[in-house]
Amino acid sequence: GAGVSQSPRYKVAKRGQDVALRCDPISGHVSLFWYQQALGQGPEFLTYFQNEAQLDKSGLPSDRFFAERPEGSVSTLKIQRTQQEDSAVYLCASSPRQGNEKLFFGSGTQLSVL
Amino acid sequence: GESVGLHLPTLSVQEGDNSIINCAYSNSASDYFIWYKQESGKGPQFIIDIRSNMDKRQGQRVTVLLNKTVKHLSLQIAATQPGDSAVYFCAENRDDNFNKFYFGSGTKLNVKP
């Protein structure tokens, strides 16, 4: 498809389990973002990649959160030892270049930690 | 799904009426703003954007107004339709170097047929 694709669509994890969330951005898009959206709130910035370089990870809540984009296209957000407070929708977005451009969002991965 | 709306300000309008959704932003240095529409179970969808050197921009059935003096943004939707029912977010960008956006808390728009 032409849009940003995320998988899985839903993920249920037991507390303490590790999870990996995948994002396929629009082909050729330089910038890739991860956002976290809690129920009833707006998306909150987690981290940003320009090609394969992670230029900003200031929004990652703890060192249990790790993101990578090794070849500058597909990205993975990994959460280790999941906690209940990690339950949220994780949104991936991409844009063609850097700086002052609109973001194209995927449909997100809804993570529920039991 | 629908429980998202329990925590959000809600605007209810009659089909065919005009809607105005407001947003206050926090940083006077922000220079690029976007309105996004989010339907249940989907990611935010771009509606319209505006840069800080403008105070008004029009799209198809939508208009965004920017008042930098009071740091206020509004989205006007003309002839609101049932398909416009969604949560609307304003987002601000504070950095020319990369598009790291800060989102507001959102407004739920209910369109009554």
Side-chain angles (χ1 to χ4, degrees):
Chain A
V4 177
S5 178
Q6 293 188 245
S7 62
R9 185 73 181 86
Y10 302 95
K11 177 68 179 177
V12 178
K14 292 182 179 179
R15 192 171 54 182
Q17 193 174 5
D18 296 350
V19 298
L21 313 179
R22 177 187 169 102
C23 172
D24 282 87
I26 295 172
S27 179
H29 277 198
V30 166
S31 298
L32 185 145
F33 291 79
W34 284 97
Y35 279 80
Q36 180 189 59
Q37 187 173 25
L39 194 63
Q41 297 182 19
E44 291 196 359
F45 171 83
L46 292 177
T47 187
Y48 161 68
F49 290 87
Q50 184 179 319
N51 296 307
E52 69 279 1
Q54 189 175 19
L55 298 187
D56 189 332
K57 53 182 180 180
S58 61
L60 296 177
S62 75
D63 58 8
R64 296 186 295 104
F65 287 70
F66 172 76
E68 60 183 5
R69 193 186 185 197
E71 297 178 357
S73 55
V74 171
S75 178
T76 304
L77 176 67
K78 298 179 179 177
I79 309 173
Q80 297 176 325
R81 305 181 302 280
T82 52
Q83 304 294 314
Q84 283 189 317
E85 61 263 28
D86 299 336
S87 296
V89 175
Y90 290 86
L91 294 164
C92 177
S94 69
S95 66
R97 291 170 291 276
Q98 65 181 68
N100 276 347
E101 284 196 357
K102 64 185 179 186
L103 303 182
F104 295 83
F105 281 88
S107 293
T109 294
Q110 185 170 328
L111 173 65
S112 299
V113 182
L114 307 178
Chain B
E2 288 303 312
S3 62
V4 168
L6 291 177
H7 304 284
L8 296 169
T10 299
L11 174 65
S12 293
V13 300
Q14 204 69 38
E15 181 179 359
D17 287 351
N18 297 335
S19 302
I20 300 177
I21 300 172
N22 296 302
C23 175
Y25 63 93
S26 56
N27 194 320
S28 57
S30 295
D31 60 359
Y32 179 45
F33 305 86
I34 296 181
W35 279 100
Y36 281 95
K37 172 186 180 183
Q38 188 173 28
E39 296 174 287
S40 183
K42 297 184 179 179
Q45 177 188 0
F46 172 87
I47 301 174
I48 192 168
D49 58 0
I50 189 167
R51 300 191 185 276
S52 58
N53 60 352
M54 304 172 70
D55 52 21
K56 180 179 180 179
R57 189 155 191 236
Q58 289 184 291
Q60 190 173 14
R61 281 202 307 121
V62 293
T63 301
V64 55
L65 298 177
L66 174 63
N67 185 331
K68 295 181 288 293
T69 302
V70 296
K71 293 186 286 187
H72 184 268
L73 201 64
S74 69
L75 176 70
Q76 300 178 2
I77 304 174
T80 315
Q81 301 169 359
D84 295 328
S85 293
V87 177
Y88 289 81
F89 295 98
C90 64
E92 60 181 299
N93 181 18
R94 304 170 186 174
D95 191 326
D96 283 342
N97 292 321
F98 64 94
N99 27 333
K100 176 178 177 179
F101 283 91
Y102 295 84
F103 283 77
S105 56
T107 297
K108 184 175 174 65
L109 177 64
N110 282 332
V111 182
K112 297 175 285 187

